[in-house]
Amino acid sequence: GAVVSQHPSWVICKSGTSVKIECRSLDFQATTMFWYRQFPKQSLMLMATSNEGSKATYEQGVEKDKFLINHASLTLSTLTVTSAHPEDSSFYICSALGTSGTSGTGELFFGEGSRLTVL
Amino acid sequence: GDSVTQMEGPVTLSEEAFLTINCTYTATGYPSLFWYVQYPGEGLQLLLKATKADDKGSNKGFEATYRKETTSFHLEKGSVQVSDSAVYFCALMGGSYIPTFGRGTSLIVHP
């Protein structure tokens, strides 16, 4: 099946630094990718929808200048947490919309997640 | 807008017990419905899906039937194992291709 790889799987950084997380679709082209943040009580919060070659669409309340999303190719989207602070510590998950399936279904493939800890 | 409501967890069961995790949804049109599973420290994996009314998705002994009349997609398994301990997410995807997830239900299975 389709594979989405996320890197790094965990990262620890100092407050004020920037961290980049990569999301790659390994065996298919993903025109649309999603970035989620997962809070301790398990809920997934959609941060933004990333479409290849265009600006990401951010959900309400998500700071676009803080969470920079770039989707420069059909197989790679990146999330950069700029000037990270301890409250940004979280589990970030990407997913890619596959091209298989009939119209209206879609297949959503998830990365392994990235655990960010800001000291 | 679209929404998914899952039963609150955690659900705690003994091995070989019957499992039901309720999921209801609100959506316009005819969305596709999904169950995802997340094992500790990992990302989400597709468990099963159904794309139209009365479809039954099944995988690894889990089943869920797309019930349009009750707008439900309850997850069931006849005999759970310790290895089924995970968080389960119900989700839908409509014509916008932006998925909507429930809050997740934690399942804990004791030996």
Side-chain angles (χ1 to χ4, degrees):
Chain A
V3 177
V4 173
S5 176
Q6 200 172 329
H7 178 81
S9 56
W10 59 270
V11 56
I12 300 173
C13 70
K14 293 182 178 180
S15 185
T17 60
S18 295
V19 174
K20 179 184 285 188
I21 301 170
E22 293 186 347
C23 180
R24 293 181 184 274
S25 56
L26 298 184
D27 52 359
F28 68 102
Q29 293 183 330
T31 55
T32 302
M33 290 186 174
F34 304 95
W35 286 95
Y36 294 87
R37 182 174 179 177
Q38 187 171 34
F39 294 96
K41 291 188 176 181
Q42 311 143 21
S43 63
L44 284 171
M45 183 192 82
L46 178 64
M47 299 175 67
T49 301
S50 168
N51 290 298
E52 186 267 336
S54 62
K55 291 183 178 180
T57 302
Y58 289 82
E59 295 299 301
Q60 193 172 13
V62 177
E63 299 175 62
K64 59 183 66 176
D65 294 331
K66 181 167 189 60
F67 298 100
L68 300 179
I69 291 173
N70 183 278
H71 193 161
S73 78
L74 286 170
T75 58
L76 174 65
S77 177
T78 60
L79 166 67
T80 301
V81 183
T82 62
S83 186
H85 291 286
E87 57 266 29
D88 299 324
S89 298
S90 193
F91 195 53
Y92 293 88
I93 305 175
C94 74
S95 66
L97 188 62
T99 54
S100 62
T102 58
S103 175
T105 62
E107 289 273 356
L108 201 58
F109 303 97
F110 283 84
E112 308 92 330
S114 299
R115 172 79 55 196
L116 170 63
T117 301
V118 184
L119 302 177
Chain B
D2 296 347
S3 67
V4 175
T5 302
Q6 284 182 242
M7 61 188 292
E8 291 283 335
V11 174
T12 304
L13 296 172
S14 297
E15 204 164 25
E16 299 183 2
F18 184 86
L19 168 71
T20 299
I21 300 178
N22 290 338
C23 171
T24 56
Y25 67 91
T26 302
T28 54
Y30 302 92
S32 294
L33 302 175
F34 306 84
W35 276 101
Y36 288 87
V37 58
Q38 183 180 32
Y39 298 102
E42 299 182 9
L44 276 69
Q45 304 172 28
L46 178 65
L47 181 60
L48 53 86
K49 69 174 184 178
T51 59
K52 60 183 187 296
D54 299 324
D55 265 3
K56 177 186 284 188
S58 62
N59 185 27
K60 300 180 181 180
F62 290 89
E63 292 182 341
T65 301
Y66 191 143
R67 300 288 189 199
K68 188 163 179 61
E69 63 276 14
T70 55
T71 61
S72 64
F73 193 54
H74 304 322
L75 181 68
E76 298 182 335
K77 185 174 185 181
S79 177
V80 294
Q81 305 300 312
V82 173
S83 57
D84 293 327
S85 298
V87 179
Y88 293 82
F89 291 89
C90 184
L92 69 81
M93 189 180 302
S96 68
Y97 289 99
I98 297 176
T100 300
F101 285 85
R103 291 181 60 84
T105 302
S106 176
L107 171 65
I108 301 169
V109 181
H110 294 295

